[in-house]
């Protein structure tokens, strides 16, 4: 009051906009609140975290969880971000609900002030959550790490979008040496090949042949990718199977809203459906690699609708078909040579 006695005009003028601060300085009451927080509606919230994990999908979480657990054993602090309210829920929180991991809603993460050392994502092109977080982290000098989620159209040959996957993160962990060709040597601070973690349990499982031959069709044309080609692709796949007088079932992606009227669809998840199948027919998808890891033969069916080159050199691991006739021959070949799938895919 002594300091402000010759400043009363200033006090009157700013009484309303700075009411809370002025009442604090003019008050004779005990001042229990720290000065730095007096003008804030809520007390300043802050926390130091070593690693922030941002999973979009169930298999993102299952890939990230062992990493997080190892880091915690080494004394690092870890949190997972729940983006299900801002992004389509694809089961990312399901594995975390069975763990003791600390999970924070994305909205809360944005509202808190965090000092964090590393952000780890498996999708850095999502404009709602991960991309803004990664870009902000880069600007703040925080390390950003991208784990390639699986089989990926890195150059957006067929997506119809300009996602530029894994170009925002500064440190990249790739599934294989084939991924290297899609990235320049200077763009990332570091690039490492770490393999395909979610294949490990699939490779370890004992393959049991189903009693009856059944072909699994992975009709994954989600996220608007080549969706106009879906009907023709599916009809041709079913036609080839019917020609051989074999049974089939179609697995449906969680984000696939297509109504499979007149077709035989399974409600099993991909891994359970593969376990009960004799062969997989698929377009561009990680399911091909997952199938042969489980010992299930696979056919990549691309009737000249895809430009991406990921499956153009199978090296004996699976077959390629480009029309109904070659698809029939590929099915016959793979079924006849189904016993050594894992061996020939090494």
């Amino acid at each position: 009051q002594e300091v402000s006695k010759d400043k009363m005009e200033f006090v009157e003028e700013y009484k309303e906009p700075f009411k809370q601060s002025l009442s604090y300085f003019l008050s004779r009451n005990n001042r229990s609140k720290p000065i730095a927080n007096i003008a804030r509606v809520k007390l300043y919230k802050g926390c130091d975290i070593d690693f922030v994990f941002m999973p979009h999908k169930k298999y993102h979480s299952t890939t990230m969880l062992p990493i997080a657990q190892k880091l915690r054993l080494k004394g690092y602090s870890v949190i997972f971000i729940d983006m299900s309210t801002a992004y389509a829920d694809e089961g990312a929180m399901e594995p975390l609900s069975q763990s003791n991991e600390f999970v924070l809603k994305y909205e809360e993460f944005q509202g808190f002030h965090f000092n964090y050392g590393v952000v780890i994502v498996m999708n850095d092109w999502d404009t709602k959550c991960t991309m803004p977080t990664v870009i902000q982290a880069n600007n703040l000098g925080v390390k950003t790490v991208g784990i390639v989620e699986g089989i990926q159209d890195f150059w957006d040959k067929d997506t119809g979008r300009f996602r530029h996957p894994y170009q925002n993160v500064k440190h990249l962990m790739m599934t294989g040496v084939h991924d290297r060709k899609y990235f320049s040597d200077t763009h990332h601070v570091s690039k490492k090949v770490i393999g395909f973690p979610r294949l490990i349990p699939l490779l370890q499982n004992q393959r049991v042949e189903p009693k009856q031959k059944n072909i699994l069709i992975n009709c994954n044309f989600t996220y608007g990718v080549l969706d106009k080609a879906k009907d023709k692709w599916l009809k041709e796949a079913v036609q080839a199977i019917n020609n051989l007088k074999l049974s089939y079932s179609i697995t449906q992606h969680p984000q696939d809203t297509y109504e499979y009227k007149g077709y035989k669809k399974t409600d099993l998840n991909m891994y359970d459906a593969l376990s009960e199948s004799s062969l997989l027919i698929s377009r561009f998808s990680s399911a091909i690699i997952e199938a042969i890891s489980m010992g299930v033969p696979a056919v990549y069916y691309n009737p000249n609708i895809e430009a991406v080159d990921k499956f153009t050199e199978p090296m004996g691991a699976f077959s390629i078909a480009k029309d109904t006739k070659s698809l029939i021959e590929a099915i016959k070949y793979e079924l006849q040579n189904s016993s050594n799938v894992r061996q020939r895919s090494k």
Side-chain angles (χ1 to χ4, degrees), residues 4 45 74 88 98-99 109 115 148 159 164 181 183 187 225 228 243 255 265 289 300 311 326:
S4 62
K45 296 175 287 187
K74 290 182 177 294
Q98 309 297 323
S99 71
F109 176 65
N115 295 315
V148 175
T159 63
H164 307 295
K181 64 181 283 187
F183 303 98
H187 183 76
V225 179
K228 291 181 180 179
N243 183 280
Q255 299 305 312
K265 187 176 73 69
I289 307 298
Y300 169 53
F311 292 107
S326 61

Side-chain angles (χ1 to χ4, degrees), residues 64 75 88 92 114 119 121 140 176 231 254 263 265 272 279 304 321 336:
M64 292 173 166
F114 279 99
V119 176
V121 301
L140 293 172
D231 286 333
Y263 291 109
K265 187 176 73 69
D272 290 341
L279 180 142
N304 297 313
Q336 289 168 4

Side-chain angles (χ1 to χ4, degrees), residues 16-293:
E16 278 306 310
F18 295 100
K19 184 176 181 181
Q20 193 174 9
S21 296
L22 286 171
S23 63
Y24 172 83
F25 283 106
L26 294 173
S27 173
R28 293 179 179 272
N29 298 332
N30 292 331
R31 298 170 178 176
S32 58
K33 294 182 179 180
I35 293 176
N37 292 327
I38 191 59
R40 297 176 183 268
V41 176
K42 295 181 179 180
L43 291 177
Y44 179 85
K45 296 175 287 187
C47 189
D48 290 333
I49 298 291
D50 294 314
F51 290 89
V52 175
F53 289 86
M54 302 184 73
H56 279 82
K57 304 178 181 180
K58 183 177 179 178
Y59 69 84
H60 288 191
S61 296
T62 55
T63 299
M64 292 173 166
L65 268 170
I67 302 171
Q69 290 162 357
K70 290 283 187 182
L71 289 170
R72 188 175 293 102
L73 288 173
K74 290 182 177 294
Y76 294 104
S77 55
V78 174
I79 62 168
F80 279 79
I81 306 303
D82 176 4
M83 298 178 285
S84 57
T85 56
Y87 189 81
D89 182 14
E90 295 190 31
M93 294 300 104
E94 185 181 327
L96 296 172
S97 65
Q98 309 297 323
S99 71
N100 295 320
E101 298 300 331
F102 181 71
V103 179
L104 196 65
K105 286 279 189 183
Y106 178 73
E107 295 78 10
E108 295 174 322
F109 176 65
Q110 291 294 97
F112 277 62
H113 174 77
F114 279 99
N115 295 315
Y116 47 93
V118 183
V119 176
I120 301 176
V121 301
M122 293 181 74
N123 172 331
D124 73 342
W125 58 92
D126 160 36
T127 57
K128 292 182 181 179
C129 302
T130 52
M131 189 169 77
T133 303
V134 166
I135 291 173
Q136 182 184 37
N138 288 336
N139 292 335
L140 293 172
V142 173
K143 288 184 174 64
T144 54
V145 177
I147 302 173
V148 175
E149 61 179 359
I151 303 303
Q152 184 63 241
D153 185 357
F154 292 111
W155 288 348
D156 289 316
K157 291 276 189 176
D158 298 314
T159 63
R161 294 178 286 165
F162 297 98
R163 302 170 306 146
H164 307 295
Y166 306 106
Q167 299 288 353
N168 291 308
V169 293
K170 294 301 182 184
H171 301 268
L172 185 61
M173 297 182 179
M174 300 171 289
T175 58
V177 293
H178 188 262
D179 292 353
R180 287 188 180 276
K181 64 181 283 187
Y182 301 103
F183 303 98
S184 71
D185 292 332
T186 57
H187 183 76
H188 295 91
V189 175
S190 69
K191 297 196 298 289
K192 295 182 184 298
V193 174
I194 64 166
F196 208 159
R198 74 174 185 267
L199 298 185
I200 295 172
L202 304 183
L203 289 163
Q204 294 171 342
N205 288 343
Q206 183 69 34
R207 167 69 172 162
V208 178
E209 289 287 341
K211 294 179 180 179
Q212 293 183 334
K213 282 188 172 17
N214 182 68
I215 312 299
L216 183 66
I217 301 174
N218 178 38
C219 191
N220 183 1
F221 288 80
T222 48
Y223 305 111
V225 179
L226 301 174
D227 52 352
K228 291 181 180 179
K230 180 171 186 171
D231 286 333
K232 185 173 182 292
W233 186 95
L234 181 57
K235 285 177 182 177
E236 291 175 353
V238 172
Q239 181 184 341
I241 296 167
N242 288 339
N243 183 280
L244 293 168
K245 294 180 172 52
L246 295 170
S247 64
Y248 75 88
S249 57
I250 300 169
T251 182
Q252 188 169 12
H253 188 279
Q255 299 305 312
D256 182 7
T257 58
Y258 188 85
E259 292 185 13
Y260 291 91
K261 290 182 179 179
Y263 291 109
K264 302 169 186 176
K265 187 176 73 69
T266 177
D267 293 325
L268 296 174
N269 64 48
M270 176 59 76
Y271 294 158
D272 290 341
L274 280 171
S275 296
E276 297 185 5
S277 301
S278 308
L279 180 142
L280 171 75
I281 298 174
S282 179
R283 60 169 292 268
F284 177 87
S285 171
S286 295
I288 293 175
I289 307 298
E290 292 167 325
I292 59 179
S293 296

